[in-house]
Amino acid sequence: YDRTDLPAGYDRARDHGPEVLDLWMRTVADYVDDRAIARVLDLGCGTGRFSQALAARFDADVIGLDPSVKMLQLALKKQRDARVHYALGRAEGIPLARESVDLVFMSMSLHHFADRTAAARECRRVLSQKGRVVIRTGTRERSSSYPCIPFFASSRRFYEEILPESGDIQAVFAAAGLHPVVSKVVTQTIAPDWTAYADKLAARGDSGLARLSSEEFEDGLAAVRRYAEAEGRGPVVELIDFFVLSVHDH
């Protein structure tokens, strides 16, 4: 991210409004004991899209950790909650003490980790005995359903290459001593209609689409806008995998 302009358009491309943010906070809360959460690690926090909401929902201190200087600079500009703190660091070497957090939250960051096995071990190390690991992620199984795929054909290959399979995610964390509590798919509305979706795509804040040539991206974006004018008046939805894991076997 620091070698590209992705951070500049990231929030505009990925901000789906307060309703979607509330959806995810309620989804997390369904599997977490609010009273047991004093400290949260937002691992791969990016621009802090979820950091503030986590602090408010769980009345907890939040450490947002990310390896991108540009992303953290944007996060700091938006910081409004004194309970939220940001730090530079990687999932493979989390700069926190053993059993020092009660919730590890990952949103669309898992596929960026250089070593998922090391990251899973680090999550287990910093997690308290009664804590939970929550993962919100894209998976290979869901990639073909992404609404952008029909318009940016070559992006399919990228998503299939970089996104993990659902079973592999659970296996990696199980090997680190983290057991599944729930695995399910959550449907989120990412735009009220296809015109709004095209405007979000234009920000080019998606790492998959950012790999396309300028010509291919503009051709695909034009195709989305044509579809929006012809028939894309309904809401645009996306399927996201959701995992909750804990130290103790359920």
Side-chain angles (χ1 to χ4, degrees):
Y1 282 89
D2 284 346
R3 295 194 299 269
T4 71
D5 292 327
L6 271 170
Y10 187 84
D11 277 347
R12 189 154 60 93
R14 296 299 186 91
D15 183 1
H16 305 318
E19 295 84 3
V20 171
L21 194 60
D22 183 60
L23 164 68
W24 285 105
M25 291 301 98
R26 285 188 282 108
T27 302
V28 173
D30 284 344
Y31 300 96
V32 171
D33 181 358
D34 294 24
R35 296 167 297 177
I37 306 299
R39 200 178 193 206
V40 178
L41 171 61
D42 187 359
L43 187 57
C45 66
T47 62
R49 287 196 306 134
F50 286 94
S51 303
Q52 313 283 325
L54 287 164
R57 179 64 183 79
F58 297 105
D59 190 20
D61 291 327
V62 175
I63 304 104
L65 190 72
D66 201 273
S68 167
V69 172
K70 286 183 178 181
M71 288 292 219
L72 290 178
Q73 286 173 340
L74 291 170
L76 286 166
K77 287 180 180 179
K78 299 186 297 178
Q79 187 174 8
R80 298 291 183 271
D81 194 320
R83 295 170 295 188
V84 178
H85 309 275
Y86 294 106
L88 193 68
R90 295 183 175 277
E92 298 85 358
I94 299 171
L96 295 174
R98 181 179 299 275
E99 297 186 17
S100 59
V101 299
D102 307 302
L103 176 64
V104 178
F105 176 83
M106 286 172 264
S107 174
M108 307 304 282
S109 57
L110 185 64
H111 60 281
H112 289 299
F113 297 166
D115 186 339
R116 290 175 195 145
T117 298
R121 289 173 181 161
E122 280 292 271
C123 288
R124 172 64 183 88
R125 182 182 66 82
V126 302
L127 189 67
S128 65
Q129 287 299 312
K130 295 184 178 180
R132 295 276 168 101
V133 171
V134 171
I135 306 171
R136 172 184 181 269
T137 186
T139 61
R140 197 169 300 162
E141 294 95 320
R142 238 59 64 193
S143 62
S144 61
S145 70
Y146 293 164
C148 65
I149 292 294
F151 306 97
F152 303 92
S154 64
S155 66
R156 181 191 300 272
R157 183 178 67 256
F158 167 75
Y159 289 122
E160 290 177 346
E161 288 174 355
I162 197 171
L163 292 178
E165 291 186 351
S166 175
D168 289 343
I169 294 171
Q170 297 187 72
V172 165
F173 281 89
L178 291 163
H179 305 282
V181 175
V182 68
S183 169
K184 67 178 187 178
V185 177
V186 177
T187 301
Q188 64 176 19
T189 299
I190 58 175
D193 55 50
W194 284 79
T195 297
Y197 179 58
D199 291 340
K200 286 188 175 188
L201 291 175
R204 209 164 183 177
D206 183 282
S207 56
L209 299 184
R211 296 188 175 220
L212 302 178
S213 68
S214 295
E215 181 180 5
E216 187 175 1
F217 178 78
E218 292 301 331
D219 286 347
L221 184 61
V224 176
R225 294 198 185 281
R226 288 194 298 271
Y227 178 79
E229 292 177 4
E231 53 185 306
R233 294 176 180 82
V236 183
V237 301
E238 194 172 59
L239 304 179
I240 305 296
D241 281 79
F242 177 75
F243 302 90
V244 180
L245 308 111
S246 74
V247 175
H248 303 288
D249 197 353
H250 290 260

